[in-house]
Amino acid sequence: RRWVRPLSSAVPPAGLGDTIFALSSAPGRCGVAVIRASGPGSRGALQSLTGTPKMPPPRVLALRRICDPNTAESLDRGLVVWFPGPRSFTGEDCAELHVHGGPAVVSGVLRALGRLPGLRPAEPGEFTRRAFAHGKLDLTAAEGLRDLIGAETEAQRRQALRQMEGELGQLYQHWSHTLTQALAHLEAYIDFSEDDNVEEEVLAQGEDLLSLCHVRLTVPLPGVTSGCVPTVDVTVRALEQEIRGHLRDGRRGELLRGGVRAVIAGPPNVGKSSLLNLLCRRPAAIVSPTAGTTRDVLEVALDIGGYPLVLSDTAGLREATDPVEREGVTRARARLCQADLVLAVLDATSVSPTAVALGAALAALEPPPDAPCVLVLNKADLLQGHGGSPSATCAQGPPATLLSCKTGEGLESLLELLVQQLAQLCGDPLLGSPSLTQSRHSHHLGACVAALARFGDSGDLAVAAEQLRVARRELGRITGHVGAEDVLDIIFRDFCVGK
């Protein structure tokens, strides 16, 4: 039957039967380096390099002398471990050599492996791709592994680890299973509607599509009262709303994965570059009392309270006459339009500490309407001569904080405010359902929702069943149960060699 046909598996990578090897730890001088081999020849490779046919117990580290099998020269004395398939990372026979991390040792072992017949160096991401091909993980878990390797903040690590352990893939597979059950019952009615195998009350409903879709399901559905047997139409509509809610997450997962893009904006000579240097704790930008010093966009990546922040310093916003500065202002406004968060910097000595004045000064910068703003009133060390006070200034108007980039006064308050904004933008990666982290997830989920929204529009059961198949296919493309080879190439090419 059409409805019992499983989702097709992804095409295995070329050379799946080869034995591959690579340095799996970070390149460069280190205490211990890990060299991995995977494939049918990994057992023989380990025996050749250790000079003994006796294999160590599976998954147990053993101390061995490692030699070049061609010259019998001793290369190192290290630990080896044997992972017989399928209980290995790749799902096939694997061997690892934990050797001293000096460049000469690593290159010597790699050369020895390369001279063995049937072995070849691994391509970027080939170990993980083999794990995917052997069903050890799906594409969302592979992407989580890649994100975990590249995680630079605590929040990124938590999100990537959760995805690598399969929570996101399990959510999508649950949705796919729900669609499969709905499609099965709908196609069963199409195929057997004239037989006695279909419940009589279903046949008595007439030819209306929604009535014909009153086919009983056995899949428990979130939001449906316990004991209630939902219909196909109810199931589809409930699933459509659940996926729409998943898409309405404010891009939390993507922001956490790639970093929140924050732009420092303001008039010339208010301390924007000084603020950048203060936050990154180094002289990253040139600071000068001359207005218009900054001409281009300067970008640095920061870890603020465990959240990733990509901070951009921009040219002062004004009507410039110099052509170079005018180009800098144009770039500043373009970067401002792309901002997820705006740090609007003003001179605390030149703006009135009232809600109206601060709101007007902020509006003059023309920040994106959907981007939250943090108003930074710099040069607080000069306020004593102007009769201002931090409490009076910050208690009114837009969310604001006083700061002195010269003395560092107010930095802690600014950091607390930034952490609050970042937490709202990125959310807590450990709470609630896992967030989608890739734009391709959003693309396929959007196509899935569109297909579900068209379910029943034509009034034809066969067309309705096809919409369910399209929706299920889009979910399968996220996890890798269906997909084209070029999609897999794009995902795995960003991995390092040895991963």
Side-chain angles (χ1 to χ4, degrees), residues 450-493:
L452 295 179
R454 293 191 297 268
F455 176 78
D457 286 351
S458 66
D460 185 278
L461 280 180
V463 176
E466 178 60 25
Q467 297 303 332
L468 294 187
R469 282 191 289 270
V470 171
R472 189 183 65 162
R473 192 179 307 122
E474 293 296 334
L475 288 175
R477 284 174 175 157
I478 300 177
T479 58
H481 288 93
V482 293
E485 188 73 10
D486 55 349
V487 175
L488 304 182
D489 290 339
I490 291 173
I491 292 174
F492 289 105
R493 72 185 180 190

Side-chain angles (χ1 to χ4, degrees), residues 246-395:
H246 183 65
L247 285 168
R248 290 192 298 267
D249 70 341
R251 297 177 54 244
R252 289 196 302 268
E254 293 183 52
L255 290 177
L256 183 53
R257 176 179 176 268
V260 175
R261 296 169 298 178
V263 175
I264 303 176
N269 207 25
V270 294
K272 298 184 299 298
S273 298
S274 298
L275 176 59
L276 178 77
N277 293 343
L278 183 64
L279 289 174
C280 67
R281 302 182 185 279
R282 61 184 177 88
I286 297 175
V287 176
S288 169
T290 304
T293 301
T294 302
R295 302 295 181 94
D296 208 345
V297 177
L298 179 61
E299 188 175 274
V300 296
L302 301 175
D303 179 349
I304 304 295
Y307 294 96
L309 184 72
V310 182
L311 188 62
S312 298
D313 181 26
T314 61
L317 300 178
R318 66 175 178 179
E319 294 295 331
T321 56
D322 180 79
V324 178
E325 185 182 358
R326 189 162 55 245
E327 175 63 23
V329 172
T330 300
R331 296 187 180 188
R333 294 198 179 279
R335 183 62 62 93
L336 187 61
C337 291
Q338 302 170 359
D340 302 312
L341 176 65
V342 177
L343 273 66
V345 184
L346 299 174
D347 187 340
T349 65
S350 61
V351 62
S352 175
T354 64
V356 175
L358 293 177
L362 181 60
L365 301 179
E366 300 179 359
D370 55 345
C373 293
V374 174
L375 188 56
V376 181
L377 302 177
N378 190 30
K379 305 184 182 181
D381 54 294
L382 302 179
L383 281 179
Q384 293 181 352
H386 293 74
S389 69
S391 59
T393 304
C394 296

Side-chain angles (χ1 to χ4, degrees), residues 220-240:
L221 198 65
V224 178
T225 305
S226 177
C228 176
V229 183
T231 65
V232 171
D233 184 66
V234 171
T235 299
V236 171
R237 297 308 169 204
L239 183 59
E240 178 188 352

Side-chain angles (χ1 to χ4, degrees), residues 6 26 29 52 101 107 113 149 165 225 261 276 391 459 489:
R29 194 183 307 274
T52 174
S107 61
L113 286 170
I149 294 172
E165 291 178 340
T225 305
R261 296 169 298 178
L276 178 77
S391 59
D489 290 339

Side-chain angles (χ1 to χ4, degrees), residues 189 196-206 211-216 229:
Y189 181 83
D196 294 334
N197 297 328
V198 181
E199 300 175 359
E200 294 182 359
E201 65 267 25
V202 177
L203 295 176
Q205 295 294 333
S211 297
L212 289 175
C213 286
H214 279 63
V215 183
R216 298 186 186 277
V229 183

